[in-house]
Amino acid sequence: TVQRADGTTDTLSVGDKVFKNDVIITGEGSEAAIAFTDESVLSLSENGRMTLDDYVYNPAGAESNMLVGLLQGTLAVVSGKIAPNGDMEVTTPVATLGIRGTSAVIQFAGVDLRVALVTDVKDGEGGLIQIINNDTNEVLLNLTVGQIGQIASLVAGSNDATLSDLTAEERALITQTVNQLTTSYNQSRGDNGQDGDSQPGSGFGNP
C-alpha cells in the first residue's frame, strides 16, 4: 500500500509509480520493492513502513541525492549510481545511515536499530555504511567490507554502536533477505525505464 502526500491511499501493483513524499506500507505476508532510475533498489519486508523523502538523480553526478526514512521493519538496499557520487541516506528514529556504494540489510523495531553490510548484489564486493548520530552528525561507526558477517546494533538514546557476529538465525534471515533483494534487483534491470526526479521509482512484488 502507498499513502500519497495528499492523504489518499492506493494498492501498489507491479510497475506502478511512486513519488516523493509517498509512504510505503507493507502488511503481514507482503513486501514491496522499488527500482529507481539510478539503478538503486529498495526492498521493504512485511509489516514495514518507509517514507520516500527526496530523490534527485543527475547522471553527471552533480547534486544527486536519495533520502528515505525507515519507520518500521526490515529494508534491504542495493545502492545505485547516486551512492558513490552523491548522497544516499536512510534515516531512522535512532540514527541516520550513509550508504556509500554497497548492499545492506537494515532492521528497525521499537527503539532498536540493526544494520548489516552484505556482499554487494551488483558486483560481489563490499562497500561502506556510516552510522551517523541524528543530533550531532557525528559518525558513530563505519561498516566496511571487513565487517561482512557481523551486525551493528544501536538503541535509541545511545551513542554506542556495537558490533557482534551474526548468529545462525540472523545469518539465515539475512541470506533469505539478500536472495529476495537479488531477485528484485534482477527484475528491476528490465522494469526501470522511467526518467526525471518527479517519478523516483516503480514498484514490483506483492503490495
Side-chain angles (χ1 to χ4, degrees):
T1 303
V2 58
Q3 181 178 311
R4 306 295 186 183
D6 63 3
T8 60
T9 60
D10 294 305
T11 299
L12 288 174
S13 299
V14 175
D16 284 350
K17 303 291 186 182
V18 292
F19 302 87
K20 179 179 175 180
N21 296 323
D22 280 353
V23 180
I24 310 300
I25 304 165
T26 56
E28 188 76 28
S30 67
E31 62 183 32
I34 303 171
F36 292 79
T37 53
D38 79 320
E39 300 179 7
S40 296
V41 174
L42 305 179
S43 179
L44 183 66
S45 69
E46 65 178 354
N47 298 320
R49 188 179 184 94
M50 72 173 176
T51 58
L52 304 179
D53 299 318
D54 201 9
Y55 178 78
V56 177
Y57 175 50
N58 181 344
E63 299 180 355
S64 295
N65 68 82
M66 179 189 295
L67 179 64
V68 301
L70 178 61
L71 304 178
Q72 178 179 308
T74 300
L75 178 65
V77 178
V78 178
S79 64
K81 295 177 180 177
I82 286 178
N85 300 315
D87 189 6
M88 181 178 185
E89 292 185 340
V90 177
T91 64
T92 76
V94 176
T96 296
L97 308 174
I99 311 295
R100 311 292 180 239
T102 191
S103 297
V105 177
I106 304 161
Q107 182 182 59
F108 178 67
V111 296
D112 298 318
L113 174 65
R114 295 165 67 77
V115 185
L117 175 72
V118 298
T119 303
D120 193 27
V121 168
K122 299 191 305 295
D123 56 24
E125 298 182 1
L128 172 66
I129 300 173
Q130 294 181 311
I131 301 178
I132 303 165
N133 184 290
N134 282 342
D135 296 322
T136 66
N137 288 325
E138 174 191 0
V139 176
L140 303 177
L141 184 67
N142 287 320
L143 289 176
T144 64
V145 63
Q147 278 81 48
I148 291 177
Q150 296 182 304
I151 193 163
S153 302
L154 185 65
V155 177
S158 170
N159 286 330
D160 296 324
T162 60
L163 273 174
S164 59
D165 291 334
L166 291 169
T167 65
E169 182 179 359
E170 288 170 337
R171 191 179 296 275
L173 178 61
I174 286 177
T175 298
Q176 179 183 9
T177 302
V178 171
N179 288 341
Q180 293 170 342
L181 181 63
T182 302
T183 299
S184 297
Y185 177 74
N186 290 336
Q187 289 176 344
S188 77
R189 303 296 292 156
D191 291 345
N192 187 12
Q194 65 279 12
D195 50 86
D197 62 21
S198 62
Q199 298 182 352
S202 62
F204 47 92
N206 298 320

